[in-house]
Amino acid sequence: MTRKWDEQEKACDLNDDGVDFSKQEKFVESLACYNVSLLLNPESGIVWYNKGLTLYELDKNNEAMICFDEAIRLDPKMDKAWFYKGEILFDEGKFQESTPFFDEAIRINPEFADAQNNRGAAMIHLEQFEKSISYFNKAIKIDSKDSFYWHNKGHALVELDNYKEANACFDMAIQINPEYEDTWHKKGVALYYLREFDEAIKCYNQAIMLNSDSPDSWHNKGITFEQLGKNEEAILCFDMSIKLKEK
């Protein structure tokens, strides 16, 4: 009895050590801790989950999936394990296949903002834009301070040609995080279609300042210069876009 208790206590300590290593992004060391912990106590759902998360960070998705399956077997209400199964499929471009896992995470925990957001993002890739917005609205209601939720809602609105509302979403995203290049780029797109060409140029400039290797920002900046009748500037932008695509 005492030995078993000692082993369980040691397994918990190793799990804590693994979490600490993960926070330091020392994933190999973290994985070693979880492996020994599971040898001592193979019925710990949280350790299987933590091991899965570490394998995910190491881009070992197949092994991570096995761990998340074990975590779910031991604790079917572990919403984050369901979420990361969906996340792996999403990362692999399997957007339709990812949705049941996000749905299950949301069923278990309707206040899981990232699950709501990722469900919406999957809908964007499946070109179900109206449906995606309902998920982004739920995510924003839960956590209005996450710039990606606003960014993704803006993206969906652009796809629906609702450029005014999209621009307002991008403004919210930029207010929270002004360092995300793609938000500036998509705000430029919204402003272009609103025929606010000078403002669109400013957004593309900001996007390029954050990431000068973005061919799309250079290309769209060139198109906007064309609308302003500045053909020489447009050609320079197109040349830069082509050069970057050929890299």
Side-chain angles (χ1 to χ4, degrees):
M1 184 76 174
T2 304
R3 182 181 174 185
K4 188 173 181 180
W5 175 259
D6 289 344
E7 286 181 350
Q8 288 183 345
E9 189 174 7
K10 179 64 174 174
C12 289
D13 290 341
L14 284 162
N15 179 63
D16 291 343
D17 291 341
V19 171
D20 289 339
F21 278 126
S22 290
K23 288 177 181 176
Q24 300 170 55
E25 298 187 359
K26 295 180 178 179
F27 298 117
V28 174
E29 293 88 341
S30 174
L31 188 60
C33 291
Y34 297 137
N35 283 336
V36 178
S37 179
L38 288 167
L39 284 173
L40 296 170
N41 181 15
E43 298 299 303
S44 173
I46 189 62
V47 181
W48 280 109
Y49 166 77
N50 286 338
K51 180 180 176 180
L53 201 55
T54 300
L55 288 163
Y56 173 72
E57 294 289 348
L58 291 168
D59 295 323
K60 296 183 177 182
N61 288 349
N62 291 337
E63 293 176 57
M65 277 289 208
I66 293 168
C67 293
F68 293 136
D69 283 338
E70 275 298 297
I72 289 166
R73 181 183 69 80
L74 293 162
D75 182 2
K77 292 185 177 180
M78 192 179 290
D79 56 343
K80 289 184 178 179
W82 288 102
F83 171 83
Y84 275 103
K85 280 176 67 72
E87 181 81 348
I88 286 170
L89 292 167
F90 185 98
D91 290 347
E92 293 175 349
K94 298 173 182 176
F95 304 114
Q96 187 66 60
E97 294 94 325
S98 74
T99 59
F101 298 102
F102 295 137
D103 284 342
E104 184 61 19
I106 291 166
R107 188 191 68 78
I108 295 165
N109 179 10
E111 298 299 301
F112 194 165
D114 280 348
Q116 299 279 6
N117 175 71
N118 285 22
R119 183 65 164 85
M123 292 296 94
I124 284 182
H125 285 284
L126 295 169
E127 299 186 359
Q128 297 180 28
F129 304 117
E130 288 279 6
K131 194 170 183 179
S132 75
I133 288 171
S134 68
Y135 288 102
F136 298 135
N137 283 339
K138 290 172 186 174
I140 288 165
K141 186 176 180 181
I142 297 163
D143 180 6
S144 62
K145 299 298 183 184
D146 191 301
S147 64
F148 286 107
Y149 305 162
W150 289 105
H151 170 92
N152 287 341
K153 182 180 177 180
H155 180 179
L157 288 163
V158 165
E159 297 292 346
L160 291 167
D161 300 336
N162 190 340
Y163 304 115
K164 187 174 181 180
E165 285 190 42
N167 187 48
C169 289
F170 295 137
D171 281 342
M172 288 297 298
I174 288 165
Q175 185 177 325
I176 297 163
N177 177 18
E179 302 300 315
Y180 188 43
E181 165 248 332
D182 195 44
T183 303
W184 286 103
H185 175 258
K186 284 187 168 60
K187 179 175 167 64
V189 171
L191 289 167
Y192 174 89
Y193 284 109
L194 290 168
R195 304 191 66 77
E196 296 183 31
F197 301 124
D198 288 326
E199 292 302 311
I201 291 288
K202 290 177 184 177
C203 290
Y204 294 133
N205 284 341
Q206 189 66 27
I208 289 164
M209 186 182 80
L210 292 167
N211 179 16
S212 60
D213 291 334
S214 171
D216 291 341
S217 292
W218 284 106
H219 177 79
N220 286 357
K221 183 179 175 182
I223 290 173
T224 310
F225 272 134
E226 276 190 322
Q227 290 290 334
L228 292 167
K230 297 181 177 181
N231 293 332
E232 289 184 10
E233 290 93 333
I235 289 168
L236 289 172
C237 291
F238 294 141
D239 285 345
M240 181 61 74
S241 178
I242 292 166
K243 188 184 295 184
L244 289 168
K245 286 179 180 177
E246 292 175 344
K247 271 188 175 182

